[in-house]
């Protein structure tokens, strides 16, 4: 079934937890500024929920923890070079920075604009020596701009080809070093263009590691969620149940849904690579944990008290303090154990955030 008009919002879970409960101390030097030299040589912290233990491994050891009957769910969304720089039409000195967040219509995108004060409806700008032009056509409730882009369609075919010429990878603000190879902020299985940030848990996988898992019998099920501000937007509300997620577009194919459901019915585990894959399955599943094929928007916000329906194990990175991501991970295990694991990760000098090390919760 296809539900493109549907928006998935979970019912608010009653909780006494507040945002400050998910804070932790992190020395700045532990924020990874560059990826590991080899993708699968990053470190791996293994949390066993039944045994209540913590083990320290390398990511390539993940093969030992995934069984032949399991299914690995990956997000194959592809990051676009979504940050572009230009100037206001007729004013070379009036520079402008855009971050394309989400496609609303053909060549109309929701964008962040800097500086925002001059970004009025009707303003036009040029980028890449004029090969791309823009016009602000509306302003959203959150203050983002809806921008219509124009370019030579006969020459460039689509806006992604233009962005690949003039755009820059939208690295998070806590990464201050230049990225030498843009492919390192892209999973090896990225396919469907549209993300404004990488689904970073998948960055640890190599094609060889995936082949080893498949040779072992593990099934690989791709789903897609275009990562936008909903994933990384800071929680500004004091109470968790007052925070509202931005919606993000996701899609689950009939083939992937059937593969996930059949593996789980046969006793295999559903292992999600990253919080985006996890949110996708929890959005697309019913109360019995059956995953349905669909395309829709999701604003699902998962925090402690949430009852997972379709996910049995989770591969994830180490996330920002007080973020919705650390809240999701705390819901999957429990807050006390997760915060203790983060404390251990700091003591053991794990690398944090997008280019950092990984965690496997089983």
């Amino acid at each position: 079934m296809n539900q493109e008009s549907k928006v998935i919002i979970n019912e608010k879970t009653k909780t006494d937890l507040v945002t400050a409960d998910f804070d932790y101390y992190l020395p700045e030097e532990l924020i990874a500024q560059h990826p590991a030299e080899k993708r699968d040589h990053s470190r791996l912290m293994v949390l066993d929920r039944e045994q209540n233990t913590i083990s320290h491994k390398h990511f390539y050891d993940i093969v030992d923890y995934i069984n032949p009957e399991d299914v690995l769910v990956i997000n194959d969304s592809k990051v676009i070079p979504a940050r572009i720089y230009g100037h206001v039409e007729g004013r070379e000195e009036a520079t402008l920075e855009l971050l394309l967040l989400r496609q609303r219509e053909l060549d109309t995108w929701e964008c962040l604009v800097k500086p925002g004060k001059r970004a009025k409806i009707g303003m036009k700008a040029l980028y890449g020596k004029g090969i791309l032009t823009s016009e602000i056509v509306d302003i959203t409730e959150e203050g983002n701009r809806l921008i219509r882009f124009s370019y030579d369609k006969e020459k460039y075919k689509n806006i992604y080809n233009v962005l690949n010429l003039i755009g820059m990878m939208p690295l998070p603000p806590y990464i201050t070093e230049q990225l030498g190879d843009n492919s390192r902020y892209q999973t090896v299985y990225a396919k469907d263009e549209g993300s404004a940030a990488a689904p970073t848990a998948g960055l640890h996988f190599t094609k060889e590691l995936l082949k080893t898992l498949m040779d072992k019998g593990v099934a690989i099920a791709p789903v897609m969620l275009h990562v936008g501000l909903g994933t990384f937007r800071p929680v500004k509300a004091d109470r968790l149940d007052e925070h509202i997620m931005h919606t993000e577009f996701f899609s689950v194919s009939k083939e992937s849904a059937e593969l996930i459901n059949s593996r789980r019915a046969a006793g295999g585990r559903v292992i999600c690579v990253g919080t985006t894959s996890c949110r996708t399955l929890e959005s697309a599943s019913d109360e019995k944990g059956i995953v349905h094929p669909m395309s829709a928007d999701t604003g699902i916000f998962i925090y402690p008290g949430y009852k997972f329906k379709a996910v049995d194990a989770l591969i994830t990175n180490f996330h920002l303090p007080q973020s919705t991501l650390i809240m999701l991970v705390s819901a999957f295990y429990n807050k006390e154990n997760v915060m203790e694991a983060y404390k251990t990760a700091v003591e053991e000098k794990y690398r944090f955030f997008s280019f950092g090390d990984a965690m496997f919760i089983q």
Side-chain angles (χ1 to χ4, degrees):
M1 65 183 175
N2 191 296
Q3 302 183 18
E4 291 194 15
S5 61
K6 187 173 182 179
V7 179
I8 311 294
I9 306 286
N10 61 297
E11 292 183 10
K12 293 289 186 180
T13 305
K14 288 187 177 181
T15 180
D16 293 326
L17 292 171
V18 295
T19 303
D21 290 330
F22 297 87
D23 200 7
Y24 66 90
Y25 168 70
L26 180 68
E28 189 174 342
E29 63 268 20
L30 296 185
I31 300 174
Q33 293 297 315
H34 51 81
E37 186 174 346
K38 294 183 179 179
R39 289 178 184 263
D40 60 357
H41 280 54
S42 52
R43 296 171 72 186
L44 178 69
M45 177 183 284
V46 180
L47 303 184
D48 189 310
R49 292 181 293 175
E50 284 190 9
Q51 302 296 324
N52 207 19
T53 58
I54 296 177
S55 304
H56 304 287
K57 303 290 182 177
H58 285 92
F59 195 80
Y60 50 73
D61 294 318
I62 196 77
V63 173
D64 299 330
Y65 293 91
I66 302 179
N67 304 320
E69 62 271 19
D70 294 339
V71 56
L72 197 67
V73 182
I74 60 174
N75 179 8
D76 66 3
S77 180
K78 189 173 185 178
V79 187
I80 59 174
R83 181 168 278 119
I84 57 175
Y85 297 88
H87 64 270
V88 177
E89 187 177 61
R91 297 174 57 198
E92 290 278 349
E93 77 286 354
T95 58
L96 206 65
E97 176 187 339
L98 295 189
L99 178 61
L100 283 70
L101 296 176
R102 178 172 180 173
Q103 189 174 30
R104 290 298 189 91
E105 300 173 15
L106 183 64
D107 296 330
T108 299
W109 287 71
E110 182 177 349
C111 302
L112 283 178
V113 183
K114 290 183 182 180
K117 288 184 179 180
R118 68 165 65 116
K120 313 291 186 184
I121 293 176
M123 190 191 79
K124 298 181 179 181
L126 293 83
Y127 314 84
K129 298 181 180 179
I131 69 172
L132 182 68
T133 61
S134 69
E135 180 180 359
I136 298 175
V137 296
D138 204 355
I139 300 176
T140 70
E141 289 184 8
E142 296 85 5
N144 297 332
R145 272 51 174 183
L146 290 185
I147 295 181
R148 183 184 300 124
F149 292 99
S150 301
Y151 51 91
D152 187 336
K153 289 185 174 59
E154 188 172 329
K155 182 176 182 179
Y156 297 108
K157 309 301 181 187
N158 58 56
I159 193 168
Y160 299 114
N161 291 330
V162 177
L163 293 174
N164 284 329
L165 286 175
I166 67 172
M168 298 180 64
M169 286 304 237
L171 294 180
Y174 50 75
I175 296 177
T176 57
E177 294 183 10
Q178 288 292 323
L179 181 63
D181 178 3
N182 280 352
S183 70
R184 294 306 307 273
Y185 193 59
Q186 204 82 265
T187 62
V188 297
Y189 46 75
K191 185 176 75 171
D192 197 343
E193 292 177 306
S195 276
T200 54
L203 296 179
H204 304 283
F205 282 96
T206 64
K207 290 182 179 179
E208 294 77 16
L209 185 58
L210 289 168
K211 184 178 185 302
T212 299
L213 287 167
M214 288 188 287
D215 289 345
K216 186 177 180 178
V218 178
I220 309 292
V223 298
M224 187 279 294
L225 182 141
H226 285 325
V227 187
L229 280 190
T231 298
F232 297 101
R233 181 183 176 215
V235 179
K236 295 180 179 179
D238 290 333
R239 292 178 51 87
L240 269 60
D241 51 16
E242 293 173 351
H243 176 70
I244 298 175
M245 294 282 283
H246 282 210
T247 59
E248 296 164 308
F249 181 73
F250 76 91
S251 184
V252 179
S253 69
K254 182 173 180 288
E255 294 76 16
S256 286
E258 289 177 349
L259 180 57
I260 293 165
N261 293 331
S262 63
R263 283 284 174 132
R264 200 178 200 206
R269 295 177 301 169
V270 177
I271 302 173
C272 278
V273 179
T275 57
T276 59
S277 298
C278 176
R279 292 176 66 238
T280 297
L281 288 201
E282 291 299 309
S283 298
S285 61
D286 60 29
E287 291 304 315
K288 294 181 180 179
I290 303 299
V291 177
H292 296 275
M294 65 171 67
S295 296
D297 290 329
T298 182
I300 191 170
F301 178 24
I302 297 174
Y303 52 87
Y306 178 86
K307 302 300 182 186
F308 285 84
K309 300 171 291 186
V311 182
D312 301 306
L314 178 66
I315 298 170
T316 188
N317 276 21
F318 291 90
H319 304 295
L320 276 73
Q322 300 188 32
S323 64
T324 62
L325 306 178
I326 195 173
M327 293 169 187
L328 183 153
V329 174
S330 297
F332 192 70
Y333 195 171
N334 63 57
K335 186 182 79 70
E336 290 71 27
N337 288 82
V338 168
M339 300 311 290
E340 183 63 29
Y342 270 64
K343 181 183 176 184
T344 300
V346 170
E347 292 170 351
E348 297 291 330
K349 293 185 166 38
Y350 275 68
R351 301 166 76 242
F352 279 67
F353 305 163
S354 295
F355 286 145
D357 296 315
M359 174 187 286
F360 178 49
I361 307 175
Q362 63 173 350

